[in-house]
Amino acid sequence: MPQFKSSLYLARVKIFAPLLMVFAMVSCTSREAKQKQVLALREMSELATVEYTVTKMIKASDDQTWYKIGDRKILMSCRATLKAGIDFSKIDAQHVRIKDKEVSIILPRAKLISVNIRPEDIKVEYQDIGILRSDFNAQDRDQLSAQGESQIRSGASALGILATAETNASLFVGQFLRKLGYEKVNVQFDDPGNLPKLN
Amino acid sequence: MIDQTPVMVKEIREMAQLITVTAYDEVVADSIRLGMTDLVIRNLPLPIPGSLSTPDRIVLIGRGRVVAGIDLKQLDEKSIQAYGDSVAIRLPRASILDVIMNPSDFETFSEQGDWTSEAVTRVKVKARDILTRRALEQDILGKADKRGKILLVDFLKASGFEKFIFVYQ
């Protein structure tokens, strides 16, 4: 009887072990596949018409905390590229008026599309660390750079990027419509109550 | 808190990039090197167990986006042929226009040892390469091509055209 039990046990192991292995392999593969998947793919519809390359110095000194003895100062330089343009999907039949070889079109207002600071475009130019203070680590440097990024973003419109983006959008769309055969093109930008008119 | 410093414009470039697809992703990149303790232990003339080894390590989590689209600046006089309500366009293929991983997109998960700014930059570039590769594996360029065609068809319809032919350069 004990012999019969052990052979039954062995038979069960022989049946279930391969099944368990297959299950484990399948679960591993699906986990890997999930990890490889991109978080989200989103459809966009922006026409970038201008790119500004800007530079900024990031200055910080960490000497305000009373319980830390000694100063810590850092000076970093950073270069960023800013893109601006228009939302291309907002142009529909309502925004276009056609009369023979004349066309009038209303484009949406320009907006800032992206701010891009490549890791290699941030450089530590100078740092002064007091003898009793620790060095700036990667996290500290990232936090300071992130503040610089935020200042670049908030100051973008003062650089005139949106006006340049609208000028370029107007030129590009005008040229495109002329290539399509229109002889007279009138491009305007969206304002409340603005309807396309033919001159 | 950093000081307020001016933003200087270095270059202005005119362009016509139709951004059609963006892939958002999160990746992990790391780097390991022998720490000072390791170097000392390895040079000792004694059998020291490997478990005492404490290499320097940095692990970063990066969130970013890969932007793909069509460079419409490449369209010239010969690229567009219009006749009546029909138009034929020779389109450039979609390409990766930007890979954006800004300082605010990085998180230092673990940092053991002293890592210079240059060494951390190399890890970040590694993260950016992983992000780009994963977006390409998801056929971002194929999707950007399709979306670009849809956007142009909508624009051409609004501009009075009814028949379209697209050929890739």
Side-chain angles (χ1 to χ4, degrees):
Chain A
M1 200 63 178
Q3 208 173 7
F4 173 72
K5 269 188 180 173
S6 67
S7 65
L8 193 69
Y9 174 76
L10 271 174
R12 277 182 186 163
V13 167
K14 278 180 185 170
I15 292 165
F16 287 112
L19 279 174
L20 275 170
M21 278 174 69
V22 168
F23 177 74
M25 280 167 70
V26 167
S27 72
C28 278
T29 323
S30 66
R31 203 181 307 143
E32 267 175 31
K34 267 182 199 166
Q35 279 174 352
K36 275 182 187 171
Q37 267 179 9
V38 173
L39 218 58
L41 271 172
R42 194 176 295 167
E43 290 185 338
M44 310 295 286
S45 51
E46 286 152 336
L47 179 70
T49 56
V50 74
E51 183 185 74
Y52 272 41
T53 303
V54 300
T55 57
K56 182 181 173 67
M57 297 307 285
I58 299 168
K59 275 200 292 183
S61 65
D62 178 15
D63 53 1
Q64 303 296 315
T65 325
W66 63 269
Y67 55 86
K68 290 177 183 170
I69 303 160
D71 284 0
R72 255 188 357 161
K73 286 179 185 172
I74 192 164
L75 182 64
M76 294 190 283
S77 65
C78 97
R79 202 169 75 131
T81 51
L82 287 77
K83 279 186 187 176
I86 58 166
D87 188 344
F88 203 66
S89 68
K90 283 191 178 163
I91 308 166
D92 57 23
Q94 281 185 331
H95 297 89
V96 184
R97 290 281 182 276
I98 300 163
K99 190 180 167 192
D100 302 326
K101 289 283 177 187
E102 289 180 41
V103 62
S104 182
I105 187 164
I106 292 178
L107 300 179
R109 305 286 341 193
K111 59 175 185 173
L112 185 67
I113 293 174
S114 64
V115 175
N116 189 6
I117 305 174
R118 299 187 316 151
E120 54 270 51
D121 288 338
I122 301 176
K123 288 192 173 69
V124 175
E125 301 290 347
Y126 174 78
Q127 54 182 339
D128 182 12
I129 316 285
I131 198 159
L132 297 172
R133 301 294 304 272
S134 58
D135 277 354
F136 285 97
N137 61 18
Q139 199 163 354
D140 296 333
R141 287 190 298 261
D142 271 346
Q143 277 171 0
L144 297 172
S145 307
Q147 287 178 39
E149 177 194 332
S150 167
Q151 284 187 5
I152 291 173
R153 206 179 282 276
S154 58
S157 57
L159 302 172
I161 190 169
L162 299 183
T164 317
E166 286 187 356
T167 307
N168 290 351
S170 171
L171 281 170
F172 173 76
V173 172
Q175 280 170 5
F176 193 81
L177 289 168
R178 277 186 200 96
K179 280 176 196 163
L180 289 170
Y182 290 104
E183 286 164 7
K184 196 172 178 188
V185 180
N186 174 31
V187 182
Q188 287 174 296
F189 282 89
D190 199 12
D191 273 325
N194 202 356
L195 287 170
K197 286 178 219 157
L198 286 171
N199 293 334
Chain B
M1 191 70 185
I2 64 166
D3 297 349
Q4 278 285 347
T5 53
V7 176
M8 311 295 284
V9 179
K10 291 285 165 188
E11 195 188 335
I12 298 174
R13 190 162 71 98
E14 191 189 325
M15 56 172 54
Q17 291 182 343
L18 186 60
I19 297 165
T20 55
V21 175
T22 296
Y24 294 83
D25 203 357
E26 188 174 45
V27 296
V28 175
D30 65 349
S31 184
I32 302 173
R33 66 173 183 214
L34 288 179
M36 279 307 286
T37 352
D38 265 305
L39 292 169
V40 173
I41 287 172
R42 275 162 193 255
N43 287 316
L44 284 175
L46 298 165
I48 306 280
S51 57
L52 282 178
S53 168
T54 52
D56 289 348
R57 183 172 195 164
I58 187 160
V59 183
L60 301 179
I61 302 169
R63 293 164 199 94
R65 55 196 167 119
V66 180
V67 180
I70 300 168
D71 184 6
L72 295 180
K73 203 84 187 148
Q74 288 180 32
L75 294 177
D76 57 18
E77 295 295 330
K78 290 176 190 166
S79 309
I80 303 171
Q81 302 276 319
Y83 186 78
D85 64 354
S86 308
V87 61
I89 300 183
R90 186 182 285 270
L91 268 184
R93 282 274 181 198
S95 60
I96 301 284
L97 302 174
D98 277 315
V99 184
I100 303 174
M101 286 185 107
N102 285 328
S104 61
D105 299 325
F106 282 102
E107 184 190 324
T108 308
F109 178 73
S110 170
E111 186 180 2
Q112 286 152 28
D114 289 331
W115 291 84
T116 62
S117 174
E118 291 76 21
V120 177
T121 298
R122 281 194 290 274
V123 184
K124 287 181 177 176
V125 170
K126 199 164 138 184
R128 193 179 59 197
D129 292 345
I130 298 170
L131 194 84
T132 313
R133 183 167 43 78
R134 282 168 52 148
L136 288 169
E137 280 169 5
Q138 295 292 312
D139 190 27
I140 190 172
L141 296 183
K143 285 168 183 143
D145 272 334
K146 277 184 200 160
R147 174 79 182 147
K149 223 189 264 186
I150 291 169
L151 286 171
L152 284 171
V153 164
D154 288 347
F155 178 75
L156 292 167
K157 273 185 187 167
S159 308
F161 292 88
E162 283 168 16
K163 292 170 194 153
F164 323 96
I165 298 170
F166 290 100
V167 185
Y168 285 104
Q169 285 179 4

